[in-house]
Amino acid sequence: DTAVSQTPKYLVTQMGNDKSIKCEQNLGHDTMYWYKQDSKKFLKIMFSYNNKELIINETVPNRFSPKSPDKAHLNLHINSLELGDSAVYFCASSQFAGAEAFFGQGTRLTVV
Amino acid sequence: AQSVTQLDSQVPVFEEAPVELRCNYSSSVSVYLFWYVQYPNQGLQLLLKYLSGSTLVKGINGFEAEFNKSQTSFHLRKPSVHISDTAEYFCAVSEVNDYKLSFGAGTTVTVRA
């Protein structure tokens, strides 16, 4: 069983479209994250959630809206996609604040 | 706020040779430290972590790292690398009780026969 799973793995879409990425963890963790990895492989945190509550929003454009229906799920919805949104998006979870994060396999988003 | 600097962007190394990847961090409070590995087109896998206790930490695949508080460093080492160790390596730091894991820019390790 995959600990942190994301769908889809690949996403190709046109500018201006709206898309969602889903994430689920079966580790029983309270904390979940979204990270963005750019073309130079730099990883930057976007959001942190703890027990379904938003803890960190790292100056992400409001076109990005995370939603956590329960502790095991953290989805990412992106409105009006732009070319600069092309990247790999990783979902992750951790047992407590500051603990090691377990990552999903990533979603490669390409905006054309 | 914490930050991480990985001092080497690329490290070429021959098979069976030792390798050291350097990582320095900056923080005004206590931290947890991690090394992750990313193989091509895959997610990040935890190699090892330092939370407290012994400053020499052993991880998977023969890797180890040493926490040096006075030098604010957490260098990663492996005494003998394999072709399969070719990957991107990331150092990461989080402040205790913080909900943010900050990553270095990564070090590309290329192992050649």
Side-chain angles (χ1 to χ4, degrees):
Chain A
D1 280 345
T2 304
V4 182
S5 59
Q6 302 177 223
T7 54
K9 189 169 182 180
Y10 299 96
L11 190 51
V12 181
T13 188
Q14 290 187 327
M15 283 175 52
N17 283 352
D18 304 337
K19 290 294 178 185
S20 292
I21 306 171
K22 295 187 175 181
C23 178
E24 176 182 4
Q25 54 97 2
N26 63 5
L27 297 168
H29 290 166
D30 287 343
T31 306
M32 295 187 73
Y33 312 85
W34 278 109
Y35 280 85
K36 179 180 180 180
Q37 187 173 45
D38 63 23
S39 58
K40 295 184 178 179
K41 301 207 172 176
F42 186 70
L43 280 153
K44 184 172 169 52
I45 191 165
M46 300 173 68
F47 302 102
S48 293
Y49 268 74
N50 187 60
N51 275 326
K52 303 192 301 176
E53 289 193 20
L54 179 66
I55 303 296
I56 289 177
N57 178 343
E58 198 73 1
T59 60
V60 178
N62 57 15
R63 297 183 296 105
F64 290 79
S65 52
K67 283 189 173 52
S68 182
D70 55 57
K71 285 198 317 183
H73 296 84
L74 180 62
N75 303 323
L76 183 65
H77 187 76
I78 315 169
N79 290 325
S80 303
L81 278 155
E82 300 176 357
L83 292 176
D85 297 331
S86 295
V88 181
Y89 293 84
F90 286 102
C91 176
S93 72
S94 65
Q95 189 174 12
F96 55 84
E100 69 266 32
F102 292 80
F103 284 79
Q105 290 297 294
T107 296
R108 183 175 295 276
L109 172 65
T110 303
V111 183
V112 297
Chain B
Q2 70 273 38
S3 66
V4 182
T5 302
Q6 290 184 241
L7 298 164
D8 309 291
S9 59
Q10 296 192 36
V11 174
V13 59
F14 286 107
E15 193 175 19
E16 297 183 9
V19 70
E20 178 180 77
L21 308 184
R22 297 178 294 167
C23 173
N24 286 94
Y25 70 93
S26 172
S27 175
S28 58
V29 299
S30 297
V31 296
Y32 298 141
L33 294 155
F34 310 90
W35 276 98
Y36 285 85
V37 61
Q38 185 179 29
Y39 300 105
N41 298 315
Q42 294 192 24
L44 281 82
Q45 180 182 5
L46 182 70
L47 277 177
L48 47 77
K49 63 185 178 185
Y50 172 81
L51 302 183
S52 65
S54 173
T55 56
L56 183 61
V57 179
K58 293 192 183 299
I60 62 171
N61 300 341
F63 284 94
E64 64 179 32
E66 185 153 21
F67 170 54
N68 187 320
K69 189 173 181 179
S70 62
Q71 296 187 6
T72 60
S73 67
F74 191 55
H75 300 335
L76 180 72
R77 301 183 185 93
K78 185 169 182 176
S80 175
V81 295
H82 303 291
I83 298 289
S84 59
D85 291 322
T86 294
E88 193 78 20
Y89 291 81
F90 292 96
C91 182
V93 62
S94 66
E95 294 179 343
V96 175
N97 296 324
D98 191 10
Y99 290 94
K100 178 177 173 179
L101 190 60
S102 296
F103 285 86
T107 298
T108 304
V109 173
T110 304
V111 182
R112 294 178 284 193

